[in-house]
Amino acid sequence: REENNPQNFNAVINLMMRGVFLAPAKIEIGENAPKPDENGRIQLPKDTKVTFALLKSGDGKSFFTAFTDAEELDKWQNKPAGQVMLLRFDDYARMLNGNDHVAGFVLNPFTDNLRFNSDMVASLLKQRNAMLEKIKQTAAQQAAQRNAQIKPGDKVTIVMFRFIFFSLLTRNGRAASPAALNSASSLGASRTKR
């Protein structure tokens, strides 16, 4: 916040869009709780209810929370009981899309307090997706160009054309008349018949 300039803002945005954040949540699993796999991860059943913790701003707007690490999360004195989920920028964008009850998300609300409102998140997502699409198109074009190049061993057909150009000038250096050009083209035609 002390050095708020476009370069630093872009650096924060780039880190935020690639980062993984801690998000306090209350997870209600049905009767059959899933067991962790060999990596300690579980896949939640479809009927699982997840409620993410919200913070209200001074103007009464609700925000999802995003913490960069456990130390930042521990600064929340009255944090709700529950679990912590790992979320990425895309997860927040999906949760905010069409959600009129939440205004955005706040990154490290008790220190940095960087707010990203829903419109900004949607705009960043749109820009990133457009950039990724452009990169994919460029990569596809480059691959097509590489495939279109002739490589050793490729079979090729060579077609040769022979063009004869006539320049007819009169003795005084002026262009010949159309009649003279017609006779010249017939001369050219007769020459090619031999």
Side-chain angles (χ1 to χ4, degrees):
R1 284 190 174 267
E2 292 85 33
E3 295 180 33
N4 189 3
N5 59 51
Q7 185 178 3
N8 287 347
F9 181 73
N10 285 335
V12 169
I13 293 293
N14 287 329
L15 289 171
M16 182 266 304
M17 292 183 80
R18 292 190 320 245
V20 178
F21 304 104
L22 305 176
K26 182 178 180 185
I27 303 171
E28 297 175 29
I29 300 175
E31 295 175 16
N32 299 327
K35 301 214 186 287
D37 65 11
E38 63 275 359
N39 297 320
R41 296 180 180 197
I42 60 169
Q43 179 151 356
L44 298 176
K46 290 184 180 184
D47 61 343
T48 302
K49 184 178 178 185
V50 178
T51 307
F52 289 95
L54 298 172
L55 283 177
K56 284 203 182 226
S57 63
D59 57 2
K61 293 180 181 177
S62 295
F63 289 84
F64 289 120
T65 58
F67 296 92
T68 53
D69 54 39
E71 184 179 315
E72 287 292 331
L73 178 60
D74 287 340
K75 293 176 183 172
W76 192 352
Q77 300 294 324
N78 299 321
K79 71 179 162 229
Q83 295 81 17
V84 175
M85 293 186 70
L86 298 177
L87 298 180
R88 295 181 176 274
F89 172 79
D90 287 2
D91 299 317
Y92 286 100
R94 272 192 297 280
M95 294 185 323
L96 291 168
N97 186 21
N99 187 338
D100 296 331
H101 304 292
V102 182
F105 74 93
V106 59
L107 182 62
N108 293 336
F110 302 103
T111 54
D112 302 316
N113 196 27
L114 298 174
R115 291 184 195 177
F116 298 94
N117 68 36
S118 296
D119 291 338
M120 181 184 214
V121 170
S123 175
L124 290 170
L125 184 66
K126 184 177 178 181
Q127 290 173 37
R128 193 215 39 214
N129 289 345
M131 182 183 66
L132 290 175
E133 185 60 34
K134 192 171 187 174
I135 290 170
K136 283 172 44 179
Q137 288 175 355
T138 302
Q141 289 172 348
Q142 290 173 345
Q145 287 174 349
R146 281 192 303 275
N147 292 336
Q149 293 176 351
I150 298 172
K151 298 175 185 82
D154 286 351
K155 291 185 179 181
V156 296
T157 303
I158 299 174
V159 178
M160 296 180 64
F161 292 97
R162 189 173 195 188
F163 294 99
I164 300 173
F165 295 96
F166 293 98
S167 175
L168 298 176
L169 298 177
T170 60
R171 288 183 183 195
N172 62 6
R174 293 193 177 152
S177 68
L181 289 175
N182 284 338
S183 67
S185 66
S186 65
L187 285 174
S190 65
R191 288 184 186 161
T192 57
K193 288 182 182 177
R194 289 187 203 168

